[in-house]
Amino acid sequence: DTGVSQDPRHKITKRGQNVTFRCDPISEHNRLYWYRQTLGQGPEFLTYFQNEAQLEKSRLLSDRFSAERPKGSFSTLEIQRTEQGDSAMYLCASSETSGSNADTQYFGPGTRLTVL
Amino acid sequence: QKEVEQNSGPLSVPEGAIASLNCTYSDRVSQSFFWYRQYSGKSPELIMSIYSNGDKEDGRFTAQLNKASQYVSLLIRDSQPSDSATYLCAVRNDSWGKFQFGAGTQVVVTP
C-alpha cells in the first residue's frame, strides 16, 4: 500500500488555461475527497465521492471546477479558465466507509497550482 | 462565525514542556473529531481521532473532547523540536462525510 498519490505535484499555468489534476486513492478506499488549501488556512472542502458517485459539491465551487471518478478508483479535478485566485494547494484524501478506520481520511502530497 | 476555530499562534513552547492546543466548533451534531499535523509545504497527517467525551492518549499526545462545551483540545507532552508544525483540528458531521477544518495553530518548540 503506497498511500494516496497525486499528479502532478506542481503546476504552473497562465490565467485562462485549463488544468487537470489526478488523484489515486489508497486501494480499497471507496471514499475520495478533494480539498483546497491556501497559505495560513486549513483545507477547504471541495467535493467528495463514494465509489463513482459524487455525493457533495461545495457551494463555494464555481462552475469552472469539475471532478470525476469514472470507475470508482482514481479521480480527476479539472479547473477551466483558471484565475489567479485559483492558486492554492489541491489536496486529495481517501477513506474507507466501514471498519475501525472508517472516519479517517488519509491525505495525498497535494498538487500546488500557481496561476500567473 | 467560523465552524471550526483555533488560535492561529504561533504557540512557542520550550523543549520538554507541554503544548496545549484548543479547538471549538459550532455544529452541535458533530460526531467525529481529528487532529492533524502539517509541516510546512507538506500535506496533513493524522495524529489522532476522538469520538467520545473525555481523554484519549496516544504516546505523547492526549486529545480531550467536551461535546457539551463544543471543544476539543490536544496536549503534546515532552515537546520536541520535531513537533514544530501547524496542528489542524477537523470536525466531521457523519451525515455529510466531509471534514470541516480549522485554520490551524502553529507550534514552535524552542530548544
Side-chain angles (χ1 to χ4, degrees):
Chain A
D1 184 355
T2 57
V4 180
S5 62
Q6 293 186 244
D7 183 70
R9 297 290 303 278
H10 303 275
K11 179 69 177 180
I12 300 174
T13 191
K14 293 182 179 179
R15 184 165 51 94
Q17 297 295 305
N18 299 343
V19 294
T20 300
F21 309 142
R22 175 179 170 127
C23 171
D24 286 87
I26 294 172
S27 59
E28 85 263 7
H29 280 193
N30 49 10
R31 280 192 175 170
L32 186 149
Y33 304 78
W34 285 100
Y35 293 88
R36 175 174 63 190
Q37 187 176 25
T38 55
L39 193 65
Q41 300 299 314
E44 174 190 23
F45 170 78
L46 296 179
T47 188
Y48 91 100
F49 294 84
Q50 181 158 319
N51 299 314
E52 65 275 9
Q54 188 173 17
L55 298 187
E56 187 179 353
K57 183 175 178 179
S58 170
R59 291 190 299 271
L60 302 175
L61 216 57
S62 76
D63 291 341
R64 298 185 296 106
F65 288 72
S66 62
E68 294 182 341
R69 195 183 183 197
K71 297 183 179 179
S73 55
F74 73 91
S75 175
T76 58
L77 176 69
E78 181 183 17
I79 309 174
Q80 296 181 329
R81 304 181 303 282
T82 53
E83 302 173 355
Q84 288 183 326
D86 298 330
S87 296
M89 175 77 86
Y90 289 83
L91 294 165
C92 176
S94 69
S95 72
E96 300 173 293
T97 53
S98 62
S100 59
N101 292 324
D103 271 340
T104 301
Q105 295 187 10
Y106 297 89
F107 282 84
T111 294
R112 182 166 297 283
L113 173 66
T114 301
V115 181
L116 302 176
Chain B
Q1 180 187 3
K2 292 183 180 179
E3 295 187 44
V4 180
E5 297 209 46
Q6 299 180 251
N7 292 327
S8 61
L11 177 65
S12 183
V13 180
E15 184 175 357
I18 296 174
S20 178
L21 293 80
N22 295 317
C23 170
T24 59
Y25 59 94
S26 60
D27 191 344
R28 284 192 170 274
V29 302
S30 299
Q31 295 294 321
S32 309
F33 307 87
F34 303 83
W35 283 100
Y36 282 82
R37 177 176 61 198
Q38 187 172 29
Y39 293 112
S40 180
K42 303 295 185 182
S43 61
E45 54 180 333
L46 180 70
I47 296 175
M48 61 194 308
S49 58
I50 186 167
Y51 305 96
S52 304
N53 284 328
D55 295 359
K56 180 181 179 182
E57 185 175 320
D58 185 358
R60 295 185 297 110
F61 299 97
T62 299
Q64 300 171 317
L65 175 61
N66 184 324
K67 290 186 178 180
S69 299
Q70 294 177 240
Y71 85 79
V72 57
S73 63
L74 180 71
L75 299 177
I76 308 174
R77 291 182 301 280
D78 189 22
S79 296
Q80 302 297 310
S82 60
D83 295 326
S84 296
T86 295
Y87 290 80
L88 298 165
C89 173
V91 174
R92 182 172 182 264
N93 177 333
D94 290 330
S95 299
W96 296 102
K98 66 183 180 184
F99 282 5
Q100 295 284 355
F101 281 88
T105 297
Q106 183 185 5
V107 173
V108 178
V109 180
T110 55

